Amino acid sequence: MRVRLLEATEDPEELVCRGARNDYMSDWVGDQSFEDAMAGVDGDTIEEQKANFLGKLLKRGHYGPFEHPSATFAIEGMSRSCMAQLTRHRHASFDVQSMRYVAFDDVDPADVEDGEMVVTPPSATDAEWVGRNQQGGQADEDVVERREEVFQSSVRRAVEDYQELLDLGMPPEDARFVLPIGTEVNVVVTLNPRSLMHIADMRAAADAQWEIRDLTEQLLDLAAEWCPHTFDYYDEHMKHRKNRLAP
Ligand SMILES: Cc1cc2nc3c(=O)[nH]c(=O)nc-3n(C[C@H](O)[C@H](O)[C@H](O)COP(=O)(O)OP(=O)(O)OC[C@H]3O[C@@H](n4cnc5c(N)ncnc54)[C@H](O)[C@@H]3O)c2cc1C
């Protein structure tokens, strides 16, 4: 799975600070320079002031201002299973690649066994893999070899059947019913920092599935470049708490 930042609010942390400073000033923030709006906040430089102020907001649980900026990410090759988990989060906006209009008719079923079109979970190939809540645990090599065989022959057969149904004139929107839940999909998602922190609270946690954890970590890495003070603070002080950002 690949994740890329497509577009994001410029100066997102300045925007968060401006929003929050509005709450504590008699002057109108619309008329003020950023430096004036931050007057009185601890710190020798404007960056230090931003870091201190954002940390204070997060510490107090004043999360509303973190809803002002937004970032749009493009995700390539997530499973439909993972997509179902991500799209449960109602404060994000999505575009999902359509299987009504995109038919995987040119995929070679032989390539499916090399990981094209269907996501292969690590437990299908890795004897050492330990899933969430220690599910699975270590397995014998020959057991895992057999898992891989069963998994790959099953997805290959599904893709072959799907393509045969297309050849028989079945519309892609109906032929797709035979495809597995691991079928890859590309998604575009727009989030604000508050909703990303909430998603991370739930989906970077040890009991979340490996694929959405991987996705969340990639989103957090990109978000740390976009909103460095916010996500540094989140990483240091808040990550791995569960479900705290929601009221
Ligand atoms: C490890 C794990 C296992 C899971 N297993 C299952 C499962 O087996 N079956 C299943 O169905 N789901 C499952 N979920 C999904 C989970 O129950 C949530 O639906 C999903 O994570 C969305 O998160 P959220 O409820 O915080 O809502 P979000 O949409 O992310 O909203 C954020 C917050 O906004 C508030 N909010 C949003 N909408 C409303 C509303 N309508 N009313 C009141 N408050 C609202 C809530 O405070 C909420 O926490 C699982 C999640 C995890 C992390």
Side-chain angles (χ1 to χ4, degrees):
M1 183 193 325
R2 289 197 303 166
V3 184
R4 196 160 283 165
L5 182 65
L6 278 188
E7 190 87 48
T9 304
E10 255 181 71
D11 298 328
E13 296 188 313
E14 185 175 317
L15 184 60
V16 174
C17 291
R18 279 180 181 278
R21 291 298 285 165
N22 173 75
D23 306 356
Y24 308 122
M25 286 189 315
S26 52
D27 291 334
W28 183 44
V29 75
D31 270 342
Q32 290 186 311
S33 69
F34 185 51
E35 284 70 18
D36 286 346
M38 295 295 277
V41 174
D42 286 347
D44 293 334
T45 62
I46 195 75
E47 277 312 305
E48 266 181 39
Q49 286 180 297
K50 263 203 269 185
N52 288 338
F53 188 58
L54 293 164
K56 227 176 233 174
L57 292 175
L58 291 171
K59 190 171 177 189
R60 283 193 203 135
H62 186 167
Y63 302 127
F66 293 88
E67 295 174 15
H68 295 304
S70 65
T72 302
F73 301 91
I75 305 164
E76 182 191 50
M78 77 196 299
S79 72
R80 289 203 159 247
S81 165
C82 187
M83 181 199 65
Q85 295 171 32
L86 182 65
T87 52
R88 292 299 299 277
H89 294 287
R90 291 157 283 185
H91 304 299
S93 305
F94 301 98
D95 265 285
V96 176
Q97 185 184 32
S98 167
M99 287 171 97
R100 295 180 76 183
Y101 302 113
V102 181
F104 299 98
D105 48 356
D106 55 349
V107 173
D108 182 345
D111 292 339
V112 173
E113 291 180 14
D114 294 328
E116 193 169 322
M117 197 180 149
V118 177
V119 175
T120 305
S123 55
T125 54
D126 182 357
E128 307 285 315
W129 175 260
V130 179
R132 65 186 177 135
N133 302 330
Q134 308 296 307
Q135 272 175 5
Q138 288 217 338
D140 292 339
E141 293 283 347
D142 49 346
V143 170
V144 175
E145 235 170 72
R146 180 68 190 137
R147 274 188 207 165
E148 191 172 354
E149 256 173 47
V150 172
F151 186 88
Q152 289 184 342
S153 69
S154 172
V155 294
R156 184 186 171 127
R157 196 175 56 242
V159 172
E160 283 170 348
D161 289 347
Y162 167 77
Q163 291 180 338
E164 189 177 347
L165 292 170
L166 292 180
D167 290 344
L168 292 168
M170 207 161 166
E173 67 183 31
D174 294 336
R176 67 182 167 175
F177 278 50
V178 300
L179 289 174
I181 197 169
T183 303
E184 287 185 352
V185 61
N186 299 338
V187 173
V188 171
V189 56
T190 300
L191 294 158
N192 62 53
R194 181 185 188 173
S195 57
L196 179 51
M197 286 187 276
H198 173 68
I199 290 173
D201 280 352
M202 301 192 82
R203 305 298 185 173
D207 58 350
Q209 204 183 1
W210 57 273
E211 192 182 6
I212 198 151
R213 285 178 70 183
D214 170 29
L215 168 65
T216 308
E217 293 297 344
Q218 291 197 54
L219 291 172
L220 285 174
D221 286 347
L222 292 168
E225 289 172 26
W226 174 52
C227 290
H229 300 307
T230 305
F231 285 94
D232 277 0
Y233 188 94
Y234 177 79
D235 196 49
E236 203 171 322
H237 301 286
M238 298 163 75
K239 200 173 177 193
H240 301 310
R241 308 167 320 147
K242 279 206 78 181
N243 212 9
R244 284 291 187 69
L245 287 179

